[in-house]
Amino acid sequence: STHSQSIKMATQATATQQPATKSKAGADSRYTFDPKELDQLCKEKPWMKDPTYFQGVALSPSAVTKMMMHCNSGVEKGVSKGGNPIEVMGLLLGRPDPANPKTLIVTDAFPLPIEGFETRVIADDQNVVNHMISLNECLERSRNEKFMGWYHSHPFDLGDHSHCFLSQTDLSTQLQWQRAEDPHGNPFVAIVLDPLRSLHTATPQLKAFRAYPPEYSPPPNTCPDMSIETEDKVRLEHWGSCWNRYYELGVEYFMSSTSRTVMEQLTHSYLWMRTLQQPEDVQEQQKLKGISAATNDLRAAAAAIDDAPGEGGREKSWSGSDPVAIATSGIGKGADANAQAVKRTREIKGAVDKVVNLATAELAQASLTQTKKKIFQ
């Protein structure tokens, strides 16, 4: 299902991206802050003096997962009704980062009951406004952060370019948010997601943006990613008709040291994650190869024992006998016999271990399959 794919993509993005620092304090710094330093930053409001002050956005695993699941649900809902994927919208919870003032931290995401088509998602319905007010009042009592951004999807057909850009409607919405919140120490950010491209590439396809104030003019031919492009057709294809009225922020993902440790223990260098993402036929092929290899080793060990001469020149039989006893039957009958017996014992032990490991892996796979059904279906 698309929900399971959303979880996989978000987990992979946050688990595989290397943190800025490997120290525990560095990994956890995104989750804690000094209220006095944050208050001082919000009072100074340096973003009011510099239209391109913010340069990056840091996203938590929770925020990425919720956004991806919400956007993919819009795709499912629209297609299931026989129409086009539905565009959805939500709000972002977070704050500026006092330790890295030019970075905005997004800790959580909250879907809104808003749906739209093409490049029009407008939050002007009274029920939506009441929902936002109620949600904000609830979070004020339980969280230290504020709503500091919004996200929405562009579930358009797959093409040569990403659909992560701001339309004219999006730009107008972002400007309204910035005018309302930025002067009060709460800088706002917009995130646009391309769910169809995300599903196609199996990685989150999203970008973060801030709008230029109307009085500011960027350098000529400067695109949102700060590249210079003189061909109008290229600019429109990549960034829409408002290509020179907003700019892109870098996106990074972060995870706490505790979460990262748990993920590393679960994945064993991300093997568990790759297993989740492997098609069933690939898993079956690997299983058959393992069974074949273990069986061949066991047969070879059995053949070596059957070929070994027994007492009185009789052949020892593998069937119905203790293999370890058979393998060690030559001990005490000379150095060569002892060496051969030890060798046969090791061969049998190795073959048996492979069979045991294969059985253990089979049980683990069965358990994983059941877990995947419970979580993702």
Side-chain angles (χ1 to χ4, degrees):
S1 69
T2 55
H3 284 318
S4 67
Q5 289 171 305
S6 302
I7 296 172
K8 294 175 191 177
M9 286 187 283
T11 304
Q12 183 181 33
T14 53
T16 58
Q17 186 175 97
Q18 294 299 318
T21 174
K22 294 184 178 181
S23 69
K24 180 177 179 180
D28 295 336
S29 62
R30 302 291 195 189
Y31 291 92
T32 59
F33 62 93
D34 186 332
K36 292 182 179 179
E37 291 182 0
L38 180 59
D39 288 343
Q40 182 62 34
L41 178 61
C42 293
K43 287 178 181 178
E44 293 175 356
K45 296 175 282 193
W47 49 85
M48 296 299 295
K49 303 173 185 177
D50 182 356
T52 60
Y53 179 78
F54 290 106
Q55 297 297 310
V57 172
L59 305 177
S60 73
S62 175
V64 180
T65 301
K66 288 184 177 181
M67 286 191 290
M68 292 302 304
M69 291 182 66
H70 187 204
C71 293
N72 287 341
S73 70
V75 174
E76 274 189 339
K77 185 174 182 180
V79 173
S80 65
K81 293 182 178 180
N84 294 323
I86 295 174
E87 196 170 336
V88 299
M89 174 184 169
L91 293 176
L92 303 172
L93 196 72
R95 55 181 170 77
D97 185 2
N100 300 280
K102 294 192 175 185
T103 298
L104 293 168
I105 296 178
V106 177
T107 57
D108 213 340
F110 294 87
L112 290 176
I114 300 173
E115 296 178 353
F117 298 93
E118 294 304 317
T119 55
R120 297 182 62 81
V121 172
I122 306 174
D124 57 1
D125 184 270
Q126 189 57 46
N127 291 330
V128 174
V129 174
N130 292 337
H131 177 86
M132 293 168 64
I133 293 173
S134 176
L135 183 59
N136 188 55
E137 290 176 349
C138 177
L139 291 173
E140 283 182 347
R141 295 191 295 267
S142 59
R143 304 287 284 267
N144 293 325
E145 298 117 335
K146 300 178 180 179
F147 284 128
M148 44 69 70
W150 66 296
Y151 71 89
H152 72 286
S153 63
H154 279 180
F156 312 143
D157 291 338
L158 283 172
D160 296 333
H161 313 293
S162 167
H163 295 300
C164 296
F165 63 89
L166 293 184
S167 68
Q168 183 133 16
T169 301
D170 301 337
L171 181 64
S172 176
T173 300
Q174 177 61 19
L175 272 175
Q176 291 179 25
W177 282 117
Q178 288 183 203
R179 286 172 173 171
E181 298 293 332
D182 281 23
H184 300 288
N186 188 38
F188 237 70
V189 66
I191 292 180
V192 183
L193 300 95
D194 185 341
L196 294 182
R197 185 171 288 273
S198 298
L199 292 170
H200 178 70
T201 61
T203 56
Q205 298 293 314
L206 57 86
K207 292 182 180 180
F209 304 107
R210 288 265 298 171
Y212 293 131
E215 64 274 11
Y216 175 77
S217 296
N221 301 320
T222 301
C223 295
D225 62 351
M226 296 302 162
S227 65
I228 303 299
E229 180 55 63
T230 58
E231 292 189 26
D232 193 49
K233 180 182 178 181
V234 175
R235 297 185 300 220
L236 290 173
E237 288 177 347
H238 284 80
W239 306 106
S241 60
C242 304
W243 59 270
N244 64 339
R245 298 311 311 158
Y246 65 96
Y247 73 99
E248 181 183 355
L249 285 70
V251 175
E252 64 174 296
Y253 305 95
F254 67 92
M255 180 181 286
S256 70
S257 60
T258 301
S259 297
R260 187 171 294 278
T261 299
V262 171
M263 285 299 299
E264 289 175 349
Q265 291 175 347
L266 285 173
T267 60
H268 295 288
S269 298
Y270 312 121
L271 288 176
W272 172 77
M273 193 177 305
R274 287 202 290 270
T275 299
L276 281 176
Q277 293 177 319
Q278 281 182 342
E280 295 297 332
D281 57 341
V282 174
Q283 296 179 25
E284 287 298 322
Q285 290 176 9
Q286 292 179 346
K287 186 192 304 181
L288 290 174
K289 288 181 180 179
I291 292 174
S292 177
T295 304
N296 289 338
D297 288 346
L298 198 57
R299 285 174 178 169
I305 292 174
D306 284 337
D307 290 342
E311 294 182 9
R314 297 174 57 190
E315 296 293 319
K316 288 186 172 66
S317 174
W318 169 265
S319 175
S321 303
D322 181 357
V324 176
I326 293 174
T328 57
S329 60
I331 293 179
K333 299 180 180 180
D336 291 341
N338 287 343
Q340 291 178 2
V342 171
K343 181 180 178 182
R344 289 198 296 271
T345 301
R346 289 175 178 172
E347 289 175 347
I348 292 176
K349 184 179 184 303
V352 171
D353 284 345
K354 284 188 178 182
V355 175
V356 171
N357 291 338
L358 190 64
T360 302
E362 183 67 19
L363 291 173
Q365 180 61 41
S367 176
L368 178 61
T369 300
Q370 292 299 317
T371 303
K372 286 167 66 177
K373 288 181 178 179
K374 291 180 180 179
I375 295 176
F376 298 140
Q377 296 181 358

